[in-house]
């Protein structure tokens, strides 16, 4: 056969085998920008007696609105997306290219597990792949789309990547088959109920729950823009939020961000402890917001969420701003016998690694450990502000006051009033030099911008 005709026949075979996955890639990238690598990569699966065209994975380079990305996309139509050693080697090769050029990686995974007949070989391949991805964590952004069903060890990539996308009624991720998992517990659940975004509420793996590729593309672009170089936005410098002087609301607090510049990460995971990526006065920041209310209690799981977020801020050199409203550790036996103390210890270690600005705003309560962890000057916060209506104290009740003033035998109501006046008012903390300023809530954005301009190089 003529060599040109042979090349054309082979290309046609590869394109036919990967038609659907290439459609998915094209839905995300700029038109005609995809440059594919290792196209003619075939290996034989002895069990099935057939070739794995392109090793069952498409790799290459493309742009999204002009931003460069390396793309690793599993083809679920080749051997059910089965993972092989050759498959892993092809993906690892693409990761190496991304590392050399410091270019973000976009994974599109769709696999029902390892290919039958691979044996220990595939385990070595998986180890190579997972280690290489892990070595890039915090140096270049890694995005992962659960582009169907992802079972087995490949699911661990979701624990490595910075941002994971779960598509509504499509994405299913699990270290084991979801049907096996539910059967082991004697429960009959669908794959989606076990491994979908709703079934991953406590795993912290679902950064975003989206409807389609258009939403994924929009969020990737927004993150990429936010992680680009910050610029001072003079139009935001004097903005006030008058509503906060009347009532502290979640919506009002979100006005610290520049218009349409922020996004919440990990919405489904412990939503009373919120994490945001956004711009304030043109400067990209990582923002922790404890939900408005009577003060959020700390638990092992939500401290873990904050720990991972603080690590993300440290890796990408982002200022960390904390809007504080917490009472400290939840006092019950279940939390007592948890990883809460270990998680807090690790959070402190990561907090110490943040070299850029650390700013705290006590807008609600900062009680006990809630103050120590999230507002204390001795914990390394560069600036700490408190709303005039905030409450900063060792205890949050008259019972606490009775412990502190054990020798006091006066009227309980008088004791409670004395405790509130002398210990809970933020002015008391400011007198000791621990609060930089007690402010009107409406001016909070101005104070944040001024602080960021002083600290961010």
């Amino acid at each position: 056969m003529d060599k040109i005709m042979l090349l054309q026949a082979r290309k046609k075979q590869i394109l036919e085998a990967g038609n659907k996955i290439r459609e998915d890639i094209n839905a995300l990238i700029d038109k005609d920008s995809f440059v594919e690598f290792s196209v003619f990569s075939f290996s034989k699966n002895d069990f099935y007696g057939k070739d794995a065209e392109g090793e069952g994975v498409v790799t290459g380079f493309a742009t999204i609105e002009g931003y460069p990305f390396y793309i690793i996309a599993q083809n679920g139509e080749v051997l059910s997306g089965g993972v092989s050693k050759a498959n892993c080697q092809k993906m690892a090769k693409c990761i190496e290219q991304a590392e050399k050029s410091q270019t973000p990686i976009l994974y599109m995974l769709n696999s029902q597990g390892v290919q039958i007949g691979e044996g220990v070989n595939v385990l070595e391949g998986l180890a190579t792949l997972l280690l290489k991805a892990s070595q890039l964590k915090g140096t270049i952004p890694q995005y992962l789309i659960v582009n169907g069903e992802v079972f087995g060890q490949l699911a661990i990539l979701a624990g490595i990547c910075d941002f994971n996308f779960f598509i509504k009624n499509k994405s299913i991720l699990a270290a084991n088959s979801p049907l096996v998992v539910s059967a082991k517990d004697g429960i009959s659940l669908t794959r989606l109920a076990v491994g979908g975004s709703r079934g991953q509420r406590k795993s912290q793996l679902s950064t975003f729950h989206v409807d389609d590729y258009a939403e994924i593309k929009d969020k990737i672009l927004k993150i990429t823009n936010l992680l680009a170089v910050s610029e001072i936005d003079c139009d935001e410098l004097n903005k006030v939020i008058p509503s906060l002087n009347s009532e502290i609301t979640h919506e009002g607090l979100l006005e610290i961000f520049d218009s349409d510049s922020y996004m919440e990460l990990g919405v489904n995971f412990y939503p009373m402890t919120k994490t945001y990526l956004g711009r304030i006065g043109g400067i990209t920041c990582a923002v922790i917001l404890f939900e408005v209310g009577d003060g959020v209690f700390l638990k092992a799981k939500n401290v873990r969420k904050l720990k991972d977020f603080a690590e993300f801020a440290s890796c990408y050199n982002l200022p960390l701003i904390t809007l504080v409203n917490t009472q400290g550790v939840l006092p019950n036996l279940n939390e007592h016998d948890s990883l809460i103390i270990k998680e807090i210890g690790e959070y402190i270690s990561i907090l110490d690694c943040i070299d850029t600005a650390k700013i705290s705003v006590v807008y609600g309560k900062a009680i006990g450990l809630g103050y120590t962890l999230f507002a204390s000057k001795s914990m390394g916060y560069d600036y700490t502000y408190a709303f005039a209506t905030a409450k900063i104290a060792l205890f949050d009740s008259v019972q606490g006051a009775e412990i502190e003033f054990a020798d006091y035998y006066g009227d309980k109501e008088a004791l409670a009033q004395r405790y509130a006046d002398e210990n809970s008012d933020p002015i008391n903390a400011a007198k000791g030099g621990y609060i930089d300023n007690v402010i009107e809530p409406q001016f909070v954005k101005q104070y944040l911008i001024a602080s960021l301009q002083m600290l961010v190089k």
Side-chain angles (χ1 to χ4, degrees):
M1 181 182 288
D2 180 86
K3 290 296 180 82
I4 301 296
M5 292 180 62
L6 180 60
L7 175 63
Q8 292 172 343
R10 286 173 171 169
K11 277 189 173 180
K12 182 179 180 182
Q13 178 186 0
I14 291 170
L15 290 173
E16 287 177 351
N19 183 54
K20 179 62 174 66
I21 188 59
R22 286 178 175 81
E23 286 181 4
D24 293 346
I25 293 172
N26 288 331
L28 294 167
I29 66 172
D30 299 336
K31 186 178 180 181
D32 299 327
S33 70
F34 188 55
V35 179
E36 191 170 346
F37 304 145
S38 304
V39 180
F40 299 103
S41 180
F42 290 79
S43 63
K44 186 81 170 180
N45 183 285
D46 294 330
F47 183 87
Y48 288 105
K50 59 189 292 189
D51 288 334
E53 294 88 350
E55 305 303 354
V57 63
V58 176
T59 60
F61 175 91
T63 58
I64 301 177
E65 296 295 324
Y67 288 110
F69 287 84
Y70 278 90
I71 295 176
I72 296 173
Q74 279 187 301
N75 186 358
E77 296 179 347
V78 175
L79 303 180
S80 299
V83 181
S84 66
K85 183 179 180 182
N87 179 288
C88 292
Q89 288 173 332
K90 184 173 180 179
M91 290 190 277
K93 181 180 177 182
C94 189
I95 293 173
E96 289 173 353
Q97 294 296 322
E99 181 181 21
K100 288 178 183 178
S101 60
Q102 290 294 288
T103 302
I105 303 172
L106 173 60
Y107 301 91
M108 302 175 72
L109 301 186
N110 186 359
S111 171
Q112 294 189 12
V114 300
Q115 290 184 24
I116 297 174
E118 278 279 317
V120 176
N121 289 328
V122 69
L123 300 181
E124 287 290 343
L126 281 162
T128 299
L129 171 64
L130 295 173
L131 181 61
K132 285 191 177 296
S134 180
Q135 289 168 340
L136 293 191
K137 186 173 178 63
T139 60
I140 61 173
Q142 296 184 80
Y143 303 83
L144 186 150
I145 301 172
V146 182
N147 202 37
E149 297 178 336
V150 181
F151 304 154
Q153 293 186 35
L154 202 63
I156 296 170
L157 269 175
I160 296 172
C161 290
D162 299 293
F163 308 100
N164 298 321
F165 297 89
F166 279 66
I167 304 170
K168 184 178 180 181
N169 297 326
K170 178 179 180 180
S171 299
I172 302 171
L173 181 127
N176 298 293
S177 166
L179 298 181
V180 173
V181 171
S182 60
K184 285 286 186 181
D185 283 349
I187 305 172
S188 179
L189 296 173
T190 66
R191 293 182 176 187
L192 201 61
V194 176
S197 179
R198 302 303 180 190
Q200 297 279 1
R201 284 191 299 270
K202 296 182 180 180
S203 70
Q204 204 178 343
L205 293 175
S206 176
T207 315
F208 299 108
H209 182 66
V210 300
D211 290 327
D212 50 33
Y213 294 119
E215 189 176 352
I216 293 173
K217 182 177 181 178
D218 178 67
K219 290 188 181 299
I220 289 176
L221 280 173
K222 195 164 188 175
I223 293 168
T224 304
N225 283 320
L226 287 170
L227 293 180
V229 177
S230 299
E231 294 181 1
I232 300 298
D233 187 344
C234 296
D235 293 336
E236 297 286 340
L237 297 181
N238 298 313
K239 183 175 180 180
V240 296
I241 312 171
S243 64
L244 289 179
N245 269 17
S246 302
E247 181 184 7
I248 307 299
T249 64
H250 179 72
E251 292 73 20
L253 291 171
L254 290 181
E255 289 190 49
I256 64 169
F257 292 110
D258 301 346
S259 178
D260 195 34
S261 76
Y262 68 91
M263 59 198 314
E264 184 177 357
L265 310 181
V267 176
N268 293 328
F269 186 70
Y270 283 86
M272 292 188 71
T273 308
K274 300 181 179 298
T275 51
Y276 293 91
L277 185 64
R279 291 189 189 273
I280 300 177
I283 299 172
T284 302
C285 302
V287 178
I288 293 169
L289 170 57
F290 288 96
E291 185 60 281
V292 174
D294 194 39
V296 177
F297 281 106
L298 300 179
K299 304 177 183 179
K301 296 289 181 66
N302 62 13
V303 175
R304 174 58 187 267
K305 178 178 181 177
L306 299 182
K307 184 182 75 174
D308 288 348
F309 186 64
E311 184 177 27
F312 169 79
S314 176
C315 288
Y316 292 102
N317 204 33
L318 299 173
L320 181 67
I321 294 174
T322 308
L323 301 177
V324 185
N325 182 31
T326 178
Q327 300 196 52
V329 176
L330 180 66
N332 67 18
L333 288 174
N334 190 50
E335 210 53 48
H336 163 75
D337 189 23
S338 74
L339 293 172
I340 181 65
I341 291 176
K342 183 175 178 61
E343 295 289 4
I344 289 170
E346 292 178 1
Y347 179 79
I348 292 171
S349 296
I350 292 171
L351 197 65
D352 188 48
C353 294
I354 296 177
D355 294 326
T356 186
K358 293 191 287 286
I359 302 171
S360 173
V361 179
V362 182
Y363 81 86
K365 294 181 178 180
I367 307 298
L369 183 63
Y371 172 83
T372 305
L373 274 183
F374 305 110
S376 170
K377 301 291 286 186
S378 300
M379 190 59 72
Y381 287 93
D382 300 289
Y383 289 104
T384 300
Y385 301 107
F387 285 5
T389 52
K391 182 176 183 179
I392 300 173
L394 182 60
F395 302 104
D396 189 40
S397 64
V398 68
Q399 287 81 14
E402 289 173 7
I403 294 171
E404 186 172 1
F405 301 106
D407 297 329
Y408 185 84
Y409 297 103
D411 180 78
K412 292 290 191 283
E413 290 186 10
L415 172 60
Q417 187 61 47
R418 172 184 168 185
Y419 187 71
D421 291 342
E422 295 185 9
N423 295 275
S424 299
D425 193 312
I427 296 294
N428 185 61
K431 286 178 181 178
Y434 304 126
I435 301 294
D436 290 293
N437 210 336
V438 179
I439 65 176
E440 287 186 46
Q442 67 174 339
F443 297 126
V444 60
K445 181 164 184 173
Q446 293 182 15
Y447 279 95
L448 287 174
I449 293 174
S451 302
L452 288 167
Q453 289 180 333
M454 291 294 295
L455 295 168
V456 177
K457 302 295 185 289

